[in-house]
Amino acid sequence: MNKNHRVPSSRSLNAVEVKSKFGAEFRRFSLDRSKPGRFDEFYGLLQHVHRIPNVELLVGYADVHGDLLPINNDDNYHKAISTANPLLRLFLQRKEEADHGTFGTDSLTRKKNTVLSAVLLRPDHNKKKPPVIISLPKDFRPVSSIIDVDILPETHRRVRLYKHGQEKPLGFYIRDGSSVRVTPQGLEKVPGIFISRLVPGGLAESTGLLAVNDEVLEVNGIEVGGKSLDQVTDMMIANSHNLIITVKPANQRNNIVRSGVGGGGGAASGSSGRSSDSSASYYGYSSHSAAASIPPHIIQNFPVGELESDEDEEDLVIEAGGEAEPIRHMASNHSMSSLPRYEPHLNLRTATTPSPDRAMERGSLEEDGTVITL
Amino acid sequence: MMKFRFRRQGTDPQREKIKQELFAFNKTVEHGFPHQPSALAFDPKLQLMAIGTKSGAIKIYGAPGVEFTGLHKDTTAVTQIHFLPGQGRLLSLLDDNTIHLWELVAGPLREVGGVKKEGVVSLQEVNTYSLPGRPGIESCSATRVTVLLLLKSCDLLCVGTEGGGVYFLEVPSLSLKDNQTLLQDQITHSLPEDYRCGKSLGPVEALQEHPQQSGKILIGYSRGLVVLWDLSTRLAEQLFLGKQQLESLVWERSGNLFVCSHNDGGYSVWAVTSGNTCNHQPVSSTIPYGPFPCKAISKILWRTTQAGSPVLLYSGGMPRASYGDRHCLTIQQDKDHVTLDFTSRVIDFFTVHSVEQEREFDEPSALVVLLEEELVVIDLQTPGWPSMPTPYLAPLHSSAITCSCHISSVPPKLWERLVNAGKAQQSRHWPICGGKNLAPPPKQQELLLTGHEDGTVRFWDASGVALTPLYKLSTANVFHTDCDPSDDPQDPSNDPDMQQEEEEWPPFRKVGCFDPYSDDPRLGIQKISLCKYSNKLVVAGTAGQVIVLGLSDERSDHLVDVSVVDLLYDREGFTWKGHDRLEPRSKPCLPPASVTAVALHAEWNLIAFGTSHGFGLFDYHRRNAVLARCTLHPNDSLAMEGPLSRVKSLKKSLRQSFRRIRKSRVSGKKRTITTPTSKVQEANAALAEQEEVAPVQRRIEPRSADDSLSGVVRCVCFADTFLRDGTHHGPTLWAGTNSGSVYAYALEVPGVGSGRVCERGGASESSVCVEAVLGKEIQLMHRAPVVSICVLDGRGKPLPDPYEASQDLAIAPDMTNAHSVLIASEEQLKVFSLPKVSAKTKFKLTAHEGCRVRKVAMVVFSSTAQEDYSEHTLVCLTNLGDMHLFSIPALRPQVRYDCIRKEDISGIASCVFTKNGQGFYLISPSEYERFSLSAKVLTEPLCFVQLDRPLEPTSTSDGTTMQPQANGTHKNQMGQAEEEPPSCLSSPILDTPLDSPLSCADLTLDSTAELTVEDVRDFLTVDEAENNLKNIKEEEGRSTGILIN
């Protein structure tokens, strides 16, 4: 598989050229690649070179695909340094100024995924720009994402948590409860599963996407209705390395507002209701809609095969059978709650209208799907 | 969306039909001893015995194989049962004061093994009655029924009540004869003034009909008064003014005498002489175990014999201070006096004796005692009154069952030898022989082996409806245990020499084999494996002992070889070799970790075993350990503390999971459990209540790699397959652990697979020792415990058992096409191709259904329609108690059945499958439920009883002939659609929502969409690709030899 991705590029020189941008100002300096030091030292250095000693900063850098990725700890700092080739482009922001933005990543690393990746990496694709090779996005692990925004009712949220074998616990608890549903017979109280607790410092809490009393509707595309707490627990644990839970947030005020109506697929699936979502997204239906209807300021996307291709995040760490990996990680942006309000990098993520070649892509995809499944 | 519709329409009707011919779910019969029996009755005419239980079940037993079961609608204890002799009817009294009439009815035509059988009889409730009383306070109500008497004419039922009234009901209509009710006032006014004392006579304690003169009954009141009442004249013919509180009454056969027993431990004999209306003194009054205060004699029987002295049988009456806690029954005849000392409470007893009116004497032939935990039958015709082994109702739980193992189609040779070995225990004549077993003789002999806590292995004949003990093997005497082996009560009923009467008074004799207290828990049997062709038995126990036994025909003394396999640290596996009659050896048995998996390959003379620490391979032919491999996680600190703490932690985690389940059950449904639960469950409930009253919540956390139990070896298996490369096959050993690791070893067995070129240097072919070379290590990414490993041949069929192929007993495996290995973990089923170990198909059960795999078995299902058509199917029992059937190797779900309540953890844990689609699980500590997943192979009671009355076929449809369960655990299960053949197969599939991943249509995707993601480490192959992988790994700083995750 993509073994070579693990191997750091050895061509790089010993010094890393850093170009740091804060507001309209640029600073250039260099770092020793072999001895990058710690993140807090680096942070201090940035404050020093920009002469903003008391300003809280958000540090981001452009990765190999031009995605804006954060630097906020030793690990991603080291990764940024080690993958900078040769230039490391930094973008600094005041913490208080940073607003509704997320760092994003497109871990598109496979040749066979290029079709989709092209679709998803619309800006680059349209401009036919060769991506700037900065680093390997896989080394930056997405932590969580909101997916299927385009096909879900606005009151629902599909959250993907990436466990990846990191140390941080998933960190949430679920409980039995009851919720009120609208049925043909009127309002009805039905049993449901709810998030009961978030472990401080856990993955779930740190994403900010899940909250206590959120009702769990689906686990990796399977509805939890009619299942016991233990069953749902087991389902979540079985999917824990790539957990996708659809919740109905208790707090409905933070819902994503769709500024665009989205593509046809989005509208259609949105109207198809929740129950059909599960099967649809599970078996590739959502891939069409996802590919077709990316909202203009797309936050996340949810490609086909994602649900199915579990267990695969680890096979880069440990070697697997080698061949025939299903489509995976075609497009998965992430958000980091530790830097929750970052300005999207507009250079890289420009809202565009669907282009003809994207429509074509979609068509071919559908055909592929049909061939496969029939 | 369109494509789904297309695929769904594609559900093959042909396939559905085949499925119907293959699969059907039925709970067929309960083996063992009913849990919590509460009532006993005997029909001397039909020779049928009935047992009622606290959960409202009635079970009728006749000759071996004749069984009927009925279940009251309410799970209320059955307090009394009375047969209507010869009619195939019985009356039951429940604890809720209702009287029920049951009838044996002819069932509809049943097809048995392809032959239509007529006259199959089943038990049905036909009528019910409850005495009018103030509702709500039944327990203290005057109309609470204390005793029932059915007249010999079978048309009148006398009902004695708490208030002292006797009511009369017409039978079988169960209508009250209003004007005939006999209230106490009618008796009291005829009493002498000094006896009356203005006090009530108390509840009616006993009712007995005059043995010679019909229409006269004896009424015994609690206060001691006994009245001979004439039903026709409605007058008290005689009064017997007893002064001592009455417990029971019995007539002498002639009707000239009756005996009553009292609560002071005494009994008195009264003479019935006509003309004497008022008797003040009994003929004699005795307190047999006096003079110190004694407990009550709860029931007394008086049986006359031709030889002379009558036989007197009574329960209780023990001296309160010294033996008040014993459960005793006394048999007395002349000078012979035996006090049977039971290990559990006496529920009731009866004698089998002649009932014909013309006979002068009772001539009791047998005494049948129903105890709380077993049924004991005493032969009264043989001097010394030995006990008789029972052909059914065996107390499976005489020592707690710790494991079970089923062997299908036992070769006749082995069968014969087993039967001979256990012959000493075979019964002479079983006194209860009513009914006729219509079931065809079993086509093949089946053996069920149960391992027990006391170190015994019991062999049961599981071929038919009656689970008959064949042989008992004790492994305890191989070891030195804490207690002196000589005081071990070695089942005295089987060994008359042991029954030497002691000098002491009362003359106790230990009877029965229920002995729940294990002398040494280390002796407990954990795993059993039997090779039916070589007669080798491997028994593995709690203390890490693994014993290899061979069956020998004659009693012999053997030296037992001991060998220690050190799996690392201070664990020890004891391996013993001996024959079935082992003499005690003086070998220390240290308490190492319990054996968690065992496999036997008699053809290669190898056994493999796993514990919580690792697994080992032993060559019992050459007596040397081949391999010892530790599976512990290096960070596992718990393991370092020693084997005992590990065991404890396992127990602890079990306890916690018990609590979790209890809690979820209680809080989830907000209702208390009304069904009687076992003591274990009660204890757990109590524990659960004590702790954690916080709301039920579950932590969502993935399995961690260094869980303290991750090293537990869950399964080991042998296979002759392709591990090194695709052209050379050879012996292999597979082991799976709790953390999702699978280790595959290539074995060099001298004389096996000799054509193969030895690729690895060093081990030359000439070496006489078995060698094991690590071939592959597979780490399942989801890290769920590996439940089972099975190698499939080129046709996708499981490999046959050892010797089967070489002796032409099974179709030889396909060794020309590529093999594959099916690894079932708790979460997923997965088939990997061999030798590359790349995933071919999989089914993610947990991710889809939220249930976890508990038991897995490879089963051959034969078709009902085509004689020679059969399919290999993977049967999978989940933690929710349902059965999922999957085709192999495609892993397509076929059918799903609910089987066991999900709360019934011990039931799920005890489940064992046969090779042809049946299975057993414990529904109580003492009972196995037998179920069948196969449409063809069914073992169920099919029997016929010749009745006095005509047998009318039931008007109701067959769908209601359900198989109730004695302990009422599965009430909802019964009478499910599965009973009816047309719906039974299609429904589970059709009921599945279309979107569900369980519907077949979706499966194509599931199995093709993704392939392996498991980490496979190859240690044998040296082709380049593999080498590259290795190199990459090494680059990543990992050693190839040990997988650390």
Side-chain angles (χ1 to χ4, degrees), chain A residues 214-231:
Chain A
D214 284 1
E215 184 181 0
V216 178
L217 303 171
E218 291 175 10
V219 175
N220 285 50
I222 314 262
E223 282 191 63
V224 303
K227 291 204 158 60
S228 71
L229 184 63
D230 287 317
Q231 277 176 283

mmCIF file with all atom_site columns, all heavy atoms in Angstrom, chain A residues 214-231:
data_model
loop_
_atom_site.group_PDB
_atom_site.id
_atom_site.type_symbol
_atom_site.label_atom_id
_atom_site.label_alt_id
_atom_site.label_comp_id
_atom_site.label_asym_id
_atom_site.label_entity_id
_atom_site.label_seq_id
_atom_site.pdbx_PDB_ins_code
_atom_site.Cartn_x
_atom_site.Cartn_y
_atom_site.Cartn_z
_atom_site.occupancy
_atom_site.B_iso_or_equiv
_atom_site.pdbx_formal_charge
_atom_site.auth_seq_id
_atom_site.auth_comp_id
_atom_site.auth_asym_id
_atom_site.auth_atom_id
_atom_site.pdbx_PDB_model_num
ATOM 1   N N   . ASP A 1 214 ? -27.328 14.962 23.360 1.00 0.00 ? 214 ASP A N   1
ATOM 2   C CA  . ASP A 1 214 ? -27.554 14.771 21.927 1.00 0.00 ? 214 ASP A CA  1
ATOM 3   C C   . ASP A 1 214 ? -28.119 13.371 21.722 1.00 0.00 ? 214 ASP A C   1
ATOM 4   O O   . ASP A 1 214 ? -27.633 12.404 22.324 1.00 0.00 ? 214 ASP A O   1
ATOM 5   C CB  . ASP A 1 214 ? -26.229 14.883 21.148 1.00 0.00 ? 214 ASP A CB  1
ATOM 6   C CG  . ASP A 1 214 ? -25.776 16.321 20.998 1.00 0.00 ? 214 ASP A CG  1
ATOM 7   O OD1 . ASP A 1 214 ? -26.478 17.204 21.522 1.00 0.00 ? 214 ASP A OD1 1
ATOM 8   O OD2 . ASP A 1 214 ? -24.736 16.546 20.360 1.00 0.00 ? 214 ASP A OD2 1
ATOM 9   N N   . GLU A 1 215 ? -29.114 13.270 20.891 1.00 0.00 ? 215 GLU A N   1
ATOM 10  C CA  . GLU A 1 215 ? -29.675 11.944 20.645 1.00 0.00 ? 215 GLU A CA  1
ATOM 11  C C   . GLU A 1 215 ? -28.909 11.266 19.512 1.00 0.00 ? 215 GLU A C   1
ATOM 12  O O   . GLU A 1 215 ? -28.702 11.859 18.448 1.00 0.00 ? 215 GLU A O   1
ATOM 13  C CB  . GLU A 1 215 ? -31.156 12.032 20.268 1.00 0.00 ? 215 GLU A CB  1
ATOM 14  C CG  . GLU A 1 215 ? -31.751 10.645 20.105 1.00 0.00 ? 215 GLU A CG  1
ATOM 15  C CD  . GLU A 1 215 ? -33.212 10.648 19.702 1.00 0.00 ? 215 GLU A CD  1
ATOM 16  O OE1 . GLU A 1 215 ? -33.778 11.741 19.537 1.00 0.00 ? 215 GLU A OE1 1
ATOM 17  O OE2 . GLU A 1 215 ? -33.766 9.544  19.569 1.00 0.00 ? 215 GLU A OE2 1
ATOM 18  N N   . VAL A 1 216 ? -28.530 10.043 19.744 1.00 0.00 ? 216 VAL A N   1
ATOM 19  C CA  . VAL A 1 216 ? -27.813 9.274  18.732 1.00 0.00 ? 216 VAL A CA  1
ATOM 20  C C   . VAL A 1 216 ? -28.835 8.610  17.821 1.00 0.00 ? 216 VAL A C   1
ATOM 21  O O   . VAL A 1 216 ? -29.716 7.889  18.296 1.00 0.00 ? 216 VAL A O   1
ATOM 22  C CB  . VAL A 1 216 ? -26.908 8.207  19.381 1.00 0.00 ? 216 VAL A CB  1
ATOM 23  C CG1 . VAL A 1 216 ? -26.211 7.382  18.319 1.00 0.00 ? 216 VAL A CG1 1
ATOM 24  C CG2 . VAL A 1 216 ? -25.895 8.862  20.298 1.00 0.00 ? 216 VAL A CG2 1
ATOM 25  N N   . LEU A 1 217 ? -28.765 8.889  16.534 1.00 0.00 ? 217 LEU A N   1
ATOM 26  C CA  . LEU A 1 217 ? -29.733 8.322  15.598 1.00 0.00 ? 217 LEU A CA  1
ATOM 27  C C   . LEU A 1 217 ? -29.144 7.166  14.807 1.00 0.00 ? 217 LEU A C   1
ATOM 28  O O   . LEU A 1 217 ? -29.821 6.179  14.554 1.00 0.00 ? 217 LEU A O   1
ATOM 29  C CB  . LEU A 1 217 ? -30.221 9.411  14.629 1.00 0.00 ? 217 LEU A CB  1
ATOM 30  C CG  . LEU A 1 217 ? -30.854 10.638 15.290 1.00 0.00 ? 217 LEU A CG  1
ATOM 31  C CD1 . LEU A 1 217 ? -31.098 11.719 14.261 1.00 0.00 ? 217 LEU A CD1 1
ATOM 32  C CD2 . LEU A 1 217 ? -32.152 10.270 15.976 1.00 0.00 ? 217 LEU A CD2 1
ATOM 33  N N   . GLU A 1 218 ? -27.920 7.296  14.429 1.00 0.00 ? 218 GLU A N   1
ATOM 34  C CA  . GLU A 1 218 ? -27.293 6.258  13.612 1.00 0.00 ? 218 GLU A CA  1
ATOM 35  C C   . GLU A 1 218 ? -25.856 6.061  14.060 1.00 0.00 ? 218 GLU A C   1
ATOM 36  O O   . GLU A 1 218 ? -25.222 6.987  14.556 1.00 0.00 ? 218 GLU A O   1
ATOM 37  C CB  . GLU A 1 218 ? -27.251 6.657  12.133 1.00 0.00 ? 218 GLU A CB  1
ATOM 38  C CG  . GLU A 1 218 ? -28.570 6.698  11.442 1.00 0.00 ? 218 GLU A CG  1
ATOM 39  C CD  . GLU A 1 218 ? -28.427 7.217  10.010 1.00 0.00 ? 218 GLU A CD  1
ATOM 40  O OE1 . GLU A 1 218 ? -27.268 7.357  9.541  1.00 0.00 ? 218 GLU A OE1 1
ATOM 41  O OE2 . GLU A 1 218 ? -29.443 7.483  9.395  1.00 0.00 ? 218 GLU A OE2 1
ATOM 42  N N   . VAL A 1 219 ? -25.391 4.872  13.865 1.00 0.00 ? 219 VAL A N   1
ATOM 43  C CA  . VAL A 1 219 ? -23.979 4.578  14.078 1.00 0.00 ? 219 VAL A CA  1
ATOM 44  C C   . VAL A 1 219 ? -23.463 3.978  12.773 1.00 0.00 ? 219 VAL A C   1
ATOM 45  O O   . VAL A 1 219 ? -23.951 2.943  12.334 1.00 0.00 ? 219 VAL A O   1
ATOM 46  C CB  . VAL A 1 219 ? -23.769 3.596  15.243 1.00 0.00 ? 219 VAL A CB  1
ATOM 47  C CG1 . VAL A 1 219 ? -22.301 3.220  15.344 1.00 0.00 ? 219 VAL A CG1 1
ATOM 48  C CG2 . VAL A 1 219 ? -24.253 4.197  16.544 1.00 0.00 ? 219 VAL A CG2 1
ATOM 49  N N   . ASN A 1 220 ? -22.557 4.645  12.171 1.00 0.00 ? 220 ASN A N   1
ATOM 50  C CA  . ASN A 1 220 ? -21.984 4.216  10.892 1.00 0.00 ? 220 ASN A CA  1
ATOM 51  C C   . ASN A 1 220 ? -23.058 3.768  9.908  1.00 0.00 ? 220 ASN A C   1
ATOM 52  O O   . ASN A 1 220 ? -22.983 2.691  9.316  1.00 0.00 ? 220 ASN A O   1
ATOM 53  C CB  . ASN A 1 220 ? -20.958 3.115  11.112 1.00 0.00 ? 220 ASN A CB  1
ATOM 54  C CG  . ASN A 1 220 ? -19.669 3.683  11.679 1.00 0.00 ? 220 ASN A CG  1
ATOM 55  O OD1 . ASN A 1 220 ? -19.714 4.419  12.652 1.00 0.00 ? 220 ASN A OD1 1
ATOM 56  N ND2 . ASN A 1 220 ? -18.559 3.376  11.059 1.00 0.00 ? 220 ASN A ND2 1
ATOM 57  N N   . GLY A 1 221 ? -24.080 4.573  9.810  1.00 0.00 ? 221 GLY A N   1
ATOM 58  C CA  . GLY A 1 221 ? -25.094 4.313  8.800  1.00 0.00 ? 221 GLY A CA  1
ATOM 59  C C   . GLY A 1 221 ? -26.176 3.360  9.241  1.00 0.00 ? 221 GLY A C   1
ATOM 60  O O   . GLY A 1 221 ? -27.123 3.133  8.497  1.00 0.00 ? 221 GLY A O   1
ATOM 61  N N   . ILE A 1 222 ? -26.062 2.785  10.413 1.00 0.00 ? 222 ILE A N   1
ATOM 62  C CA  . ILE A 1 222 ? -27.100 1.868  10.881 1.00 0.00 ? 222 ILE A CA  1
ATOM 63  C C   . ILE A 1 222 ? -27.932 2.589  11.925 1.00 0.00 ? 222 ILE A C   1
ATOM 64  O O   . ILE A 1 222 ? -27.394 3.146  12.880 1.00 0.00 ? 222 ILE A O   1
ATOM 65  C CB  . ILE A 1 222 ? -26.477 0.604  11.518 1.00 0.00 ? 222 ILE A CB  1
ATOM 66  C CG1 . ILE A 1 222 ? -25.374 0.067  10.626 1.00 0.00 ? 222 ILE A CG1 1
ATOM 67  C CG2 . ILE A 1 222 ? -27.550 -0.401 11.830 1.00 0.00 ? 222 ILE A CG2 1
ATOM 68  C CD1 . ILE A 1 222 ? -25.726 -1.032 9.741  1.00 0.00 ? 222 ILE A CD1 1
ATOM 69  N N   . GLU A 1 223 ? -29.218 2.575  11.712 1.00 0.00 ? 223 GLU A N   1
ATOM 70  C CA  . GLU A 1 223 ? -30.088 3.231  12.667 1.00 0.00 ? 223 GLU A CA  1
ATOM 71  C C   . GLU A 1 223 ? -30.066 2.510  13.994 1.00 0.00 ? 223 GLU A C   1
ATOM 72  O O   . GLU A 1 223 ? -29.996 1.284  14.049 1.00 0.00 ? 223 GLU A O   1
ATOM 73  C CB  . GLU A 1 223 ? -31.516 3.245  12.127 1.00 0.00 ? 223 GLU A CB  1
ATOM 74  C CG  . GLU A 1 223 ? -31.733 4.314  11.084 1.00 0.00 ? 223 GLU A CG  1
ATOM 75  C CD  . GLU A 1 223 ? -33.215 4.461  10.793 1.00 0.00 ? 223 GLU A CD  1
ATOM 76  O OE1 . GLU A 1 223 ? -33.951 4.828  11.718 1.00 0.00 ? 223 GLU A OE1 1
ATOM 77  O OE2 . GLU A 1 223 ? -33.617 4.184  9.663  1.00 0.00 ? 223 GLU A OE2 1
ATOM 78  N N   . VAL A 1 224 ? -30.144 3.254  15.040 1.00 0.00 ? 224 VAL A N   1
ATOM 79  C CA  . VAL A 1 224 ? -30.094 2.627  16.357 1.00 0.00 ? 224 VAL A CA  1
ATOM 80  C C   . VAL A 1 224 ? -31.494 2.393  16.916 1.00 0.00 ? 224 VAL A C   1
ATOM 81  O O   . VAL A 1 224 ? -31.633 1.824  17.985 1.00 0.00 ? 224 VAL A O   1
ATOM 82  C CB  . VAL A 1 224 ? -29.259 3.458  17.356 1.00 0.00 ? 224 VAL A CB  1
ATOM 83  C CG1 . VAL A 1 224 ? -27.868 3.660  16.822 1.00 0.00 ? 224 VAL A CG1 1
ATOM 84  C CG2 . VAL A 1 224 ? -29.925 4.785  17.632 1.00 0.00 ? 224 VAL A CG2 1
ATOM 85  N N   . GLY A 1 225 ? -32.491 2.855  16.215 1.00 0.00 ? 225 GLY A N   1
ATOM 86  C CA  . GLY A 1 225 ? -33.856 2.652  16.690 1.00 0.00 ? 225 GLY A CA  1
ATOM 87  C C   . GLY A 1 225 ? -34.133 1.179  16.906 1.00 0.00 ? 225 GLY A C   1
ATOM 88  O O   . GLY A 1 225 ? -33.824 0.347  16.055 1.00 0.00 ? 225 GLY A O   1
ATOM 89  N N   . GLY A 1 226 ? -34.698 0.853  18.047 1.00 0.00 ? 226 GLY A N   1
ATOM 90  C CA  . GLY A 1 226 ? -35.019 -0.531 18.346 1.00 0.00 ? 226 GLY A CA  1
ATOM 91  C C   . GLY A 1 226 ? -33.855 -1.326 18.888 1.00 0.00 ? 226 GLY A C   1
ATOM 92  O O   . GLY A 1 226 ? -34.006 -2.499 19.195 1.00 0.00 ? 226 GLY A O   1
ATOM 93  N N   . LYS A 1 227 ? -32.725 -0.690 19.003 1.00 0.00 ? 227 LYS A N   1
ATOM 94  C CA  . LYS A 1 227 ? -31.577 -1.417 19.540 1.00 0.00 ? 227 LYS A CA  1
ATOM 95  C C   . LYS A 1 227 ? -31.364 -1.015 21.000 1.00 0.00 ? 227 LYS A C   1
ATOM 96  O O   . LYS A 1 227 ? -31.658 0.112  21.400 1.00 0.00 ? 227 LYS A O   1
ATOM 97  C CB  . LYS A 1 227 ? -30.327 -1.109 18.718 1.00 0.00 ? 227 LYS A CB  1
ATOM 98  C CG  . LYS A 1 227 ? -30.400 -1.700 17.310 1.00 0.00 ? 227 LYS A CG  1
ATOM 99  C CD  . LYS A 1 227 ? -29.019 -1.905 16.734 1.00 0.00 ? 227 LYS A CD  1
ATOM 100 C CE  . LYS A 1 227 ? -29.001 -2.942 15.636 1.00 0.00 ? 227 LYS A CE  1
ATOM 101 N NZ  . LYS A 1 227 ? -29.852 -2.624 14.495 1.00 0.00 ? 227 LYS A NZ  1
ATOM 102 N N   . SER A 1 228 ? -30.845 -1.952 21.734 1.00 0.00 ? 228 SER A N   1
ATOM 103 C CA  . SER A 1 228 ? -30.640 -1.689 23.149 1.00 0.00 ? 228 SER A CA  1
ATOM 104 C C   . SER A 1 228 ? -29.358 -0.884 23.342 1.00 0.00 ? 228 SER A C   1
ATOM 105 O O   . SER A 1 228 ? -28.527 -0.770 22.449 1.00 0.00 ? 228 SER A O   1
ATOM 106 C CB  . SER A 1 228 ? -30.538 -3.000 23.913 1.00 0.00 ? 228 SER A CB  1
ATOM 107 O OG  . SER A 1 228 ? -29.326 -3.636 23.608 1.00 0.00 ? 228 SER A OG  1
ATOM 108 N N   . LEU A 1 229 ? -29.239 -0.338 24.539 1.00 0.00 ? 229 LEU A N   1
ATOM 109 C CA  . LEU A 1 229 ? -28.054 0.443  24.865 1.00 0.00 ? 229 LEU A CA  1
ATOM 110 C C   . LEU A 1 229 ? -26.793 -0.393 24.658 1.00 0.00 ? 229 LEU A C   1
ATOM 111 O O   . LEU A 1 229 ? -25.786 0.089  24.132 1.00 0.00 ? 229 LEU A O   1
ATOM 112 C CB  . LEU A 1 229 ? -28.146 0.920  26.313 1.00 0.00 ? 229 LEU A CB  1
ATOM 113 C CG  . LEU A 1 229 ? -27.031 1.829  26.810 1.00 0.00 ? 229 LEU A CG  1
ATOM 114 C CD1 . LEU A 1 229 ? -27.017 3.127  26.038 1.00 0.00 ? 229 LEU A CD1 1
ATOM 115 C CD2 . LEU A 1 229 ? -27.176 2.092  28.287 1.00 0.00 ? 229 LEU A CD2 1
ATOM 116 N N   . ASP A 1 230 ? -26.878 -1.652 25.056 1.00 0.00 ? 230 ASP A N   1
ATOM 117 C CA  . ASP A 1 230 ? -25.697 -2.496 24.910 1.00 0.00 ? 230 ASP A CA  1
ATOM 118 C C   . ASP A 1 230 ? -25.376 -2.762 23.451 1.00 0.00 ? 230 ASP A C   1
ATOM 119 O O   . ASP A 1 230 ? -24.219 -2.811 23.059 1.00 0.00 ? 230 ASP A O   1
ATOM 120 C CB  . ASP A 1 230 ? -25.897 -3.821 25.646 1.00 0.00 ? 230 ASP A CB  1
ATOM 121 C CG  . ASP A 1 230 ? -25.813 -3.630 27.138 1.00 0.00 ? 230 ASP A CG  1
ATOM 122 O OD1 . ASP A 1 230 ? -24.914 -2.898 27.573 1.00 0.00 ? 230 ASP A OD1 1
ATOM 123 O OD2 . ASP A 1 230 ? -26.648 -4.186 27.861 1.00 0.00 ? 230 ASP A OD2 1
ATOM 124 N N   . GLN A 1 231 ? -26.406 -2.936 22.666 1.00 0.00 ? 231 GLN A N   1
ATOM 125 C CA  . GLN A 1 231 ? -26.162 -3.154 21.245 1.00 0.00 ? 231 GLN A CA  1
ATOM 126 C C   . GLN A 1 231 ? -25.494 -1.931 20.626 1.00 0.00 ? 231 GLN A C   1
ATOM 127 O O   . GLN A 1 231 ? -24.550 -2.050 19.848 1.00 0.00 ? 231 GLN A O   1
ATOM 128 C CB  . GLN A 1 231 ? -27.478 -3.433 20.518 1.00 0.00 ? 231 GLN A CB  1
ATOM 129 C CG  . GLN A 1 231 ? -27.926 -4.872 20.603 1.00 0.00 ? 231 GLN A CG  1
ATOM 130 C CD  . GLN A 1 231 ? -29.270 -5.050 19.942 1.00 0.00 ? 231 GLN A CD  1
ATOM 131 O OE1 . GLN A 1 231 ? -30.290 -4.700 20.518 1.00 0.00 ? 231 GLN A OE1 1
ATOM 132 N NE2 . GLN A 1 231 ? -29.280 -5.579 18.746 1.00 0.00 ? 231 GLN A NE2 1
#
